[in-house]
Amino acid sequence: MRSIPPLPRALSFAGLLPQLACVAALWLGPEGWRYAALAIAWGYAALIFSFLGGLWWGIAASRIREGERVPGWLWVASVLPSLVALATYLPWVFGEEWPRPSLVALAVGLVASLWVDRRIAPSAPSWWMALRVPLSIGLGVATLLVAVS
């Protein structure tokens, strides 16, 4: 953890606060907050999952600029989070049960994102995995806690 520059570390861990606030609202807040907390938690998980895809795309693009061959799986992995996030939104649009099943799907995706992070770690900063592991697990678990609340 000490190898992570202070500003990225602080900002990254601050990024867990919105989801933790939704967990707190669901567990401790009045009944009237429930739906808003569920919707905000879904939105935040979908946003961050899509953001991860953007990070991966940026890493792939920078590797091309440096003359490296970028494997096709990385380009595909880069767009999947946004497509998954959109797919988890569609049940709400069509009046199906939402957002709990969608939150579970996003929680799984957030934790599974570590597979991509691990594979791109050689092209990322040396502290990449030290930051990504607690963030992906933290946000994934918080999202799952929202889903089961």
Side-chain angles (χ1 to χ4, degrees):
M1 245 339 137
R2 293 179 191 260
S3 66
I4 303 168
L7 189 57
R9 182 177 55 225
L11 292 172
S12 294
F13 282 99
L16 294 174
L17 295 176
Q19 210 70 337
L20 295 175
C22 289
V23 170
L26 287 164
W27 289 358
L28 306 170
E31 185 65 29
W33 291 4
R34 289 193 67 70
Y35 188 77
L38 288 168
I40 291 167
W42 170 85
Y44 192 68
L47 178 78
I48 296 300
F49 196 38
S50 294
F51 175 76
L52 289 175
L55 285 174
W56 302 334
W57 185 276
I59 288 172
S62 71
R63 287 171 68 176
I64 281 183
R65 191 184 78 216
E66 294 171 6
E68 293 181 49
R69 183 184 166 280
V70 177
W73 71 263
L74 182 53
W75 295 110
V76 172
S78 296
V79 299
L80 282 178
S82 294
L83 296 175
V84 168
L86 175 64
T88 66
Y89 178 62
L90 295 178
W92 185 46
V93 171
F94 293 112
E96 301 297 324
E97 184 180 353
W98 186 86
R100 284 189 175 91
S102 296
L103 284 160
V104 171
L106 289 170
V108 169
L110 287 162
V111 173
S113 72
L114 289 171
W115 179 82
V116 175
D117 286 327
R118 183 79 172 127
R119 300 226 19 215
I120 64 172
S123 299
S126 60
W127 42 265
W128 181 258
M129 289 308 292
L131 187 62
R132 294 298 315 128
V133 169
L135 292 175
S136 289
I137 292 173
L139 188 58
V141 167
T143 302
L144 190 57
L145 288 174
V146 169
V148 301
S149 292

